[in-house]
Amino acid sequence: MKSLYLSSYNFGRAPEVLADLVAPRARAAIIMNATDVYAPDLRPAYVESYAAVLAGLGIDSDELDLRDYFGEPRELEARLSRYGLIWSAGGNAFVLRRAMRYTGFDAIAANLVETGDLVYAGCSAGAIVATPTLAGIEFADDPNDVPAGYEAEIIWDGLDLFGKSIAPHYRSGHPESAVMENVIRSFTERGLTFQALRDGEAIVVRGDDIRIVGQPAQ
């Protein structure tokens, strides 16, 4: 049974729901490659903060740097067999998408998620790449940001794990909230179905059941 947890910002207001999707004693891989274009000295602190939240949910974790597996899909597949959960952090969705293509993660993980052997979770860019397309996201993330070791070609297709486009940080206090209005306008002009998420909210998919958690009280 396919299980997804796609959050606007960090783990949202209902991280316990993520824990309910994961098998007991499952281990999580933290993927930080959406931040490969940013300051590397900040990366360890982010990994530590994500690991601390996961530990609070009873989930052990370690970082999976996809750059170590560029052109090595078999090695990545063996590594992924250790995990029951993927946590893909935010950053630049186009950079993350490239990393997933270069390693074969897109095909390998998609198959594991569809069979229920792996839960896919992520926030912001990590949620966006789970959709059918990154079209429209260029109004928030620069598709021409290319870290060292990456190629300039832009990959527009997503993992297609969730059937709608996602606009995170919608009308929230996040610095990208304003540009998300342009993203949504682009979705609408292109005829794309989408889900806007406020910070704190997350899309939860469990089989055929789809719901939004972490919504503020009315």
Side-chain angles (χ1 to χ4, degrees):
M1 180 172 61
K2 178 167 70 176
S3 296
L4 308 172
Y5 185 90
L6 307 174
S7 173
S8 176
Y9 182 69
N10 289 341
F11 290 88
R13 296 191 189 93
E16 68 281 357
V17 177
L18 172 59
D20 289 341
L21 297 176
V22 182
R25 295 179 297 280
R27 189 171 187 85
I30 300 172
I31 294 178
M32 296 292 302
N33 294 97
T35 68
D36 285 350
V37 74
Y38 305 125
D41 55 315
L42 300 177
R43 191 183 190 113
Y46 278 108
V47 172
E48 184 177 350
S49 67
Y50 291 135
V53 174
L54 290 167
L57 298 173
I59 302 169
D60 292 332
S61 63
D62 57 74
E63 184 183 0
L64 169 57
D65 190 340
L66 293 177
R67 292 175 296 184
D68 295 336
Y69 296 90
F70 282 6
E72 303 290 347
R74 290 185 180 179
E75 286 75 6
L76 177 65
E77 187 171 18
R79 175 78 181 270
L80 286 175
S81 68
R82 307 178 193 174
Y83 302 108
L85 170 67
I86 295 294
W87 174 257
S88 291
N92 186 302
F94 294 97
V95 172
L96 177 59
R97 186 65 189 91
R98 287 182 177 101
M100 290 178 168
R101 171 65 58 80
Y102 299 165
T103 57
F105 176 94
D106 43 12
I108 298 165
N111 181 61
L112 293 171
V113 170
E114 292 292 346
T115 59
D117 294 310
L118 186 68
V119 175
Y120 182 89
C123 64
S124 194
I128 288 167
V129 297
T131 69
T133 177
L134 274 60
I137 301 301
E138 69 272 19
F139 291 98
D141 295 348
D142 188 349
N144 296 305
D145 278 346
V146 183
Y150 285 73
E151 298 176 6
E153 180 185 5
I154 300 168
I155 301 170
W156 291 99
D157 63 297
L159 302 181
D160 202 17
L161 298 174
F162 180 68
K164 298 180 181 180
S165 294
I166 293 174
H169 316 307
Y170 176 65
R171 296 184 180 177
S172 304
H174 194 277
E176 290 189 355
S177 290
V179 298
M180 282 301 155
E181 300 292 341
N182 296 329
V183 169
I184 289 173
R185 187 176 301 112
S186 178
F187 289 164
T188 302
E189 290 172 351
R190 287 176 157 111
L192 299 174
T193 57
F194 67 90
Q195 176 67 56
L197 290 176
R198 290 179 167 86
D199 287 351
E201 295 179 333
I203 300 163
V204 178
V205 176
R206 191 163 197 165
D208 294 328
D209 180 55
I210 302 173
R211 58 193 174 110
I212 308 294
V213 298
Q215 294 170 303
Q218 298 298 316

